[in-house]
Amino acid sequence: MKKLLALSLVCFSFHAMAQTSATKKPFFDSKSYQVFLDTSKCVEGDVECDGIVYHSINKKNHHELTLKGSTLNIGPSHDFRGYIFRNGDYSYVLSPAAGAGNDDNHVWTLQVSQHQAQGDKVLFSENGNVVE
């Protein structure tokens, strides 16, 4: 009975997330992925938050991934640099793209890295647009 209840809860959660994704605009849209962020557990105006939910949809094979993460902040003033989500040895970082022509921060980068003994190895990196 407990297994059936747990399975039902998991199926309902994925169904609810799929419905949410279908009705909301993505935060980030690139050639390969749409990424939806849920920041509803964050206090508005707070620079740091560790209750952000990342939900991505691969445009080619329609695989979906949901992770919990946080804001990415650096320095003593905790300057905002984007969002980070971890899945085992893998990290997913969404951040404003560096470079000229991105003064309004509409172009962001999705970077997927794998933690290895000799340092992190970038497996995927792609620019996309923040959807308004």
Side-chain angles (χ1 to χ4, degrees):
M1 181 67 177
K2 287 182 181 180
K3 288 182 181 180
L4 182 60
L5 180 61
L7 182 60
S8 297
L9 183 58
V10 168
C11 290
F12 176 75
S13 297
F14 285 124
H15 179 71
M17 182 59 81
Q19 284 184 325
T20 302
S21 298
T23 59
K24 284 185 169 183
K25 286 198 274 185
F27 170 80
F28 173 85
D29 189 28
S30 71
K31 178 182 174 187
S32 303
Y33 290 93
Q34 284 188 320
V35 176
F36 300 81
L37 295 183
D38 179 358
T39 58
S40 63
K41 294 186 176 155
C42 301
V43 176
E44 190 173 336
D46 220 356
V47 177
E48 295 183 64
C49 180
D50 64 358
I52 300 171
V53 177
Y54 165 102
H55 182 78
S56 68
I57 301 172
N58 183 313
K59 290 181 176 181
K60 292 179 184 174
N61 61 22
H62 304 287
H63 286 172
E64 298 186 26
L65 177 65
T66 301
L67 303 169
K68 185 179 176 190
S70 63
T71 54
L72 183 60
N73 304 79
I74 63 165
S77 61
H78 302 277
D79 294 335
F80 175 78
R81 293 292 190 248
Y83 304 97
I84 187 165
F85 308 89
R86 299 190 194 288
N87 186 17
D89 287 340
Y90 298 90
S91 62
Y92 298 72
V93 175
L94 267 173
S95 59
N102 194 28
D103 297 331
D104 57 3
N105 286 329
H106 278 82
V107 179
W108 281 47
T109 301
L110 172 61
Q111 181 172 301
V112 180
S113 302
Q114 182 181 25
H115 181 70
Q116 299 178 345
Q118 64 274 22
D120 289 351
K121 177 182 178 183
V122 176
L123 303 174
F124 175 84
S125 184
E126 184 171 79
N127 287 347
N129 295 310
V130 171
V131 178
E132 291 186 41

